[in-house]
Every structure is written in C-alpha cells, then in structure tokens.
Amino acid sequence: MPQHLIRKLEQFTRLSHADRRALEDIANQRVRLFGPHQDIIHEGDPPEHVNLILEGWACRYKQLEDGRRQIISFFLPGDLCDPHIFVLREMDHSISTITPVKLAEIQRDLLLDLTEQHPRITQALWWEMLVHTAIQREWTVNIGQRTGLERVGHLLCELFIRLRAVGLTEGDSCLLPVTQVDFGDATGLSNVHVNRVLQELRGSGLIVLKGRHLTIPDLAALQAVSLFNTNYLHLDREGRHLDANGPERPFA
C-alpha cells in the first residue's frame, strides 16, 4: 500500500478515491525486498523502471574511484526515485538501501498511463519533483555555507519534518537509522566531526539519541540553531484549488 506516497502528495492537493485506487494498483504490480546496504541500481545501469519506496530508508550517492562516497539525498517511505528517469540512457548515480527496504517497481507504460488518466496525480508529481530539486539546492547551501553544527542540525530537522509529513513520527520522536558515517557522507564532515557535533547537540538538550531513535524536545529551538526554514519543503497545500470533488476520505 502506497499510503505514505498518498499522504505526501496530499500535502499538495486532495486526491479523489479513483486517484488513490490508481496509486494503490500501480504500487502492487511488482514489489521487491532488499536487505540493508544493498544497491538497488548502480551508476551506468540502464533505467528500466521507477522505484517507489514503500518501507525502509535508502540513499542516492556518487562514489569516486578511490572509494570516497557522497550521499546526495535520502529516500524515505513514500519517495519516488527519479520519476522521470526514462529520459536517460544510463544512471549517473547509484541508489542503495540503508535499512531493509520494500519497494514497488513501476514500469514506464504504467506510469505514463497513470499520469494521462489522473491529472491531479500528474500535477502532484510535478510538485514532488520540484520539492526534491529544492531539497538538493538546500543541501548545496548546507555543504557550502553552514557550519558543522548547522549542517547536522539542519539535516535532522529536514528528516524529521519529512517523516512527520507522511505520518512516521510519534510526537517529537522518530526512527533514525542513519549512521554517523552516513551523516558524514551527506554533510561533507568526517566521522569524528559528526560525533562531536552530535555530542554538542545532545549536551545542549536539542536532541536525544537512543539507539536508532531521535527525539527533538524543542523543534523550533533546533531550527533556530541550524538556520532551518521549512519554506523549501513546500508543505502548505499549494494545489488546494485542484482538490477532488466529493467527500474526503482521510487515511488512518
């Protein structure tokens, strides 16, 4: 069930019953399971389908010839990995799991048919693509201009708010299966630097990390310290004028 994708798209517009059913159908065509730290697709591979993350975490990365890796983005439940990838002849990056992942492989013809038959979904997918582009811009600013503490704090804010948008937080807590090495690869910091920053955030009471769980007691305070502004995530229903007619059916 693509309930996380539906929740996310409905940050932009309210979908109809038919829109939701179409997304459910397309997500059930071919479901695959991957273990942790396993490549879903490699750089250089021909893109044959779009991957929809149903459960688990993954990341997009580039790797240099000497083994150094840069994580370019994190994929959370409900994320489509490059919905317009079919225009490329080969992948220019790799996608790997962080945790065990359940995903739906969506074939090109099915996706094209979906967008032709359901214009609200099409416009919501445009919105999602633009949000992902905005996130990439913010990551560039993060690496280029913010301090180490601001980089890590900013990424924690972003991940928490993205998880909250798809219903995967509990109060001020969420699952955080990202390692310090992953954080370093995403923020351009060494493992030692990431550890020092996390200790500083803990010591100031801005975060609580216990195992794979993150708690942010005061999100506004962490946002202020990290120079975080939610505007680039565009979570304020810009497409409300496209809302489906008829009674709404909220997701449980």
Side-chain angles (χ1 to χ4, degrees):
M1 292 287 288
Q3 69 268 25
H4 302 307
L5 173 63
I6 293 172
R7 277 184 180 270
K8 182 168 64 169
L9 296 184
E10 289 200 324
Q11 297 291 330
F12 179 76
T13 184
R14 184 69 62 186
L15 301 175
S16 69
H17 300 339
D19 292 332
R20 295 168 182 159
R21 282 195 300 270
L23 288 169
E24 292 166 3
D25 289 343
I26 202 172
N28 286 319
Q29 294 293 320
R30 185 178 180 187
V31 176
R32 296 189 62 192
L33 302 176
F34 289 84
H37 312 299
Q38 183 178 352
D39 275 348
I40 297 170
I41 189 166
H42 301 87
E43 183 172 355
D45 288 349
E48 298 175 349
H49 48 259
V50 172
N51 295 303
L52 166 61
I53 306 297
L54 299 173
E55 299 174 7
W57 289 45
C59 67
R60 185 199 326 264
Y61 73 92
K62 294 278 290 186
Q63 191 156 22
L64 301 181
E65 292 181 359
D66 61 5
R68 285 176 292 168
R69 181 182 70 155
Q70 179 70 46
I71 291 179
I72 305 167
S73 59
F74 288 113
F75 292 116
L76 310 179
D79 282 343
L80 282 162
C81 307
D82 303 315
H84 304 294
I85 199 69
F86 301 118
V87 300
L88 301 180
R89 181 171 296 176
E90 64 178 41
M91 295 290 291
D92 57 19
H93 61 271
S94 301
I95 297 175
S96 176
T97 62
I98 294 174
T99 67
V101 163
K102 180 179 181 180
L103 61 80
E105 291 183 346
I106 303 174
Q107 300 301 315
R108 173 181 179 174
D109 291 344
L110 291 176
L111 186 61
L112 290 176
D113 183 65
L114 177 76
T115 55
E116 288 175 1
Q117 299 298 322
H118 299 270
R120 270 186 302 272
I121 292 177
T122 302
Q123 289 168 307
L125 289 176
W126 289 347
W127 165 81
E128 196 225 10
M129 181 183 69
L130 292 172
V131 169
H132 275 288
T133 303
I135 290 173
Q136 295 297 155
R137 286 194 293 269
E138 199 67 25
W139 278 41
T140 300
V141 175
N142 218 29
I143 292 177
Q145 296 298 325
R146 293 190 176 98
T147 66
L149 186 143
E150 291 164 354
R151 293 184 201 183
V152 174
H154 197 279
L155 183 54
L156 289 172
C157 289
E158 178 188 296
L159 292 173
F160 181 84
I161 291 171
R162 287 173 60 193
L163 288 168
R164 187 175 64 184
V166 295
L168 289 174
T169 57
E170 295 184 9
D172 57 5
S173 300
C174 67
L175 181 68
L176 186 71
V178 180
T179 67
Q180 290 187 22
V181 172
D182 294 331
F183 264 108
D185 288 348
T187 59
L189 302 173
S190 69
N191 189 33
V192 172
H193 197 164
V194 172
N195 182 271
R196 185 164 63 246
V197 167
L198 290 174
Q199 293 297 336
E200 184 176 351
L201 291 171
R202 282 190 180 112
S204 59
L206 290 169
I207 66 169
V208 178
L209 279 174
K210 291 184 178 179
R212 293 156 55 93
H213 289 272
L214 166 71
T215 299
I216 304 176
D218 187 341
L219 181 58
L222 182 60
Q223 288 178 247
V225 167
S226 308
L227 306 181
F228 183 90
N229 187 326
T230 59
N231 65 347
Y232 72 99
L233 296 176
H234 302 286
L235 296 176
D236 51 358
R237 296 287 304 280
E238 293 93 332
R240 56 174 56 87
H241 61 287
L242 303 171
D243 283 1
N245 295 320
E248 296 180 352
R249 183 188 65 183
F251 267 82

